[in-house]
Amino acid sequence: MKENSLFQINEDFKKSKFDIPTENIGFCNLILSQCFENEKIDISFDFLKNKFPLFKFKKKKEKDANNKIKEKEKQKDDEIKKYTEITNKILKSKDNEYNNLMQEKEKLENMEILQLKIEENNKKLKELRDKKDESKIIINENNNNENNNNENNNNNEIKGLNSIDNNNIIIKQPSKIEITKKNETFLGNIGNDEDIKYKFKNKLINGCNNFIKIKDKLKNIAFEDKYKDISDKILISLTPTVNQLNSFEIYDEKLQKLKSDFDEIKETKNKELYIITCNELLSLIFNKSLSSINESKTKFYLFSKIIYNIKSSTLINLFFQRIAYYCPYIIPIQYTEKDFSDKNELRKRQGFIEEGEQLTDFNNRMTCYEYLYFTFLFNDYEKYKPIIIEYIDLIDESAINFAIGNSYKVFLNVFGNTIKDEFLNKIKSISNKIKKSLDNDSKNSNISNIKSISGSNSYQIKELMKKIDKGKYTDFYEDYQNI
């Protein structure tokens, strides 16, 4: 970059009061690289940290090149020494010491200067590693591209996420996170295991339990040194795309952008990085859904259609686990003290996020998650029909409260017109049963919010059933026809 161009950038920064779009990552990278390396740009270091909080800043290059070379040589010697010490400890360690030492060793292995030493020591560790049981949680990646663990890939730059140093991204150890058994989709081969009455209920409950194990691990991995910069860049890239996802007119554009991001992450051949991306996208979509409670329910279909059409089995598996964790009423199941004696654990498993959460806020949140789930199944009715049939059977047998009733109301709005020819009599019977139970709650409950929610859901179920019975469209289906 020429000197007069640097001067102009400097002046433009000042005139515009530093009003530049942080989502324009390519431009920001160009500017920031010059800010750090060229003394003619005098933007303050504190300003840059405040303006770009997700970027990891480094000070300008040292003027004394000789000192820098000496420091690098010393660092190399220190790290090789440290690596050798850890390797020796691992060879002599007991089981309870093994995992901590392996984590420290893996950090050192990511340093390019240690590659020759690593090869030497890994030969000694191979036999030990095969015998040790590492603590893992499993991810299934049914897609061949996502499952490709080719360690010879040399081009692992995230093109669309912009010039990040990924030289240390490829993981040579097994992934710490797994979501289902290898080569198995989350819901398995639909139609198998006929001897199990409620196989999808069991799979969703198991998925929920697995998500409890991995959700903190996902966060921790995103903050590991080797992933921190790239996970920040991923979040910066995904966030504006999801935030702008407000209508079907821009659906194709946003879907292609997200597919492009996912394809570029796949190129790293790094499972953990790919899972982080899936989790970040789901977090953004789940949060965005909460602001759509008063909009057309096709808005949730817009979000779930994105998840479905990215065509990632990892993303879909994680979606099922996440939704079952946050909203067990889609299964449907109502946890009680018989399931969890600890009150705090019980409230979490019931879907409450804080001790004093109002029931109206809780019910609105459940409604959003229920619309995400049922509109996701709506993307492919024939494929997910066994799950829908099982839901109908389960809710027919379940004790009804306001939360289960709310789940059924959402289900009826989404699927009522689709299933009426085959299941009209059954959903009539279920609707009458649920309406009666909700009317009793509305009449007899001492909690005003339960009275209100139960009464409202009873009325809406009655109105939806009237439309379905007369061959008219439900609210959701009518809006869906106009997309």
Side-chain angles (χ1 to χ4, degrees), residues 312-336:
S312 163
S313 59
T314 300
L315 181 65
I316 290 174
N317 292 339
L318 193 57
F319 169 76
F320 276 116
Q321 297 190 31
R322 188 184 186 94
I323 201 78
Y325 170 73
Y326 284 111
C327 183
Y329 310 104
I330 55 96
I331 297 176
I333 190 170
Q334 170 66 56
Y335 292 116
T336 67

Side-chain angles (χ1 to χ4, degrees), residues 32 42 64 69 138 177 206-207 211-212 260 273 303 355 392 405 431 438 460-461 479:
L32 295 176
D42 58 359
D64 190 345
I69 291 172
I138 299 179
I177 305 176
N206 290 337
F211 186 76
I212 292 171
S260 176
L273 189 59
F303 303 147
E355 181 67 29
I392 294 172
S431 297
L438 293 176
Q460 290 181 64
I461 289 171
D479 289 347

Side-chain angles (χ1 to χ4, degrees), residues 14 43 54 62 72 89 93 140 159 197 228 246 248 268 271 274 286 332 339 354 430 470:
K14 294 177 180 178
I43 305 305
L54 292 179
E62 297 287 341
K72 195 168 184 178
K89 286 182 180 179
S93 67
N140 165 58
K159 306 183 190 86
K197 186 176 182 181
K228 181 65 171 65
N246 293 314
F248 280 92
T268 66
K271 275 190 172 183
Y274 190 85
F286 273 53
D339 302 297
E354 56 186 27
I430 294 172
K470 292 179 179 179

Side-chain angles (χ1 to χ4, degrees), residues 292-346:
S292 304
I293 184 66
N294 295 320
E295 300 183 41
S296 167
K297 301 309 179 278
T298 54
K299 191 73 169 289
F300 299 96
Y301 177 58
L302 174 64
F303 303 147
S304 68
K305 192 175 178 67
I306 286 284
I307 298 170
Y308 182 81
N309 282 319
I310 287 177
K311 300 300 182 186
S312 163
S313 59
T314 300
L315 181 65
I316 290 174
N317 292 339
L318 193 57
F319 169 76
F320 276 116
Q321 297 190 31
R322 188 184 186 94
I323 201 78
Y325 170 73
Y326 284 111
C327 183
Y329 310 104
I330 55 96
I331 297 176
I333 190 170
Q334 170 66 56
Y335 292 116
T336 67
E337 292 179 353
K338 292 180 180 179
D339 302 297
F340 301 100
S341 57
D342 181 82
K343 290 184 178 180
N344 290 331
E345 180 64 18
L346 175 60

Side-chain angles (χ1 to χ4, degrees), residues 47-63:
F47 159 73
L48 291 171
K49 288 175 67 177
N50 292 331
K51 182 65 180 176
F52 305 94
L54 292 179
F55 284 80
K56 187 175 182 180
F57 293 95
K58 297 180 181 178
K59 294 182 180 180
K60 291 183 179 180
K61 293 180 177 178
E62 297 287 341
K63 293 182 179 180

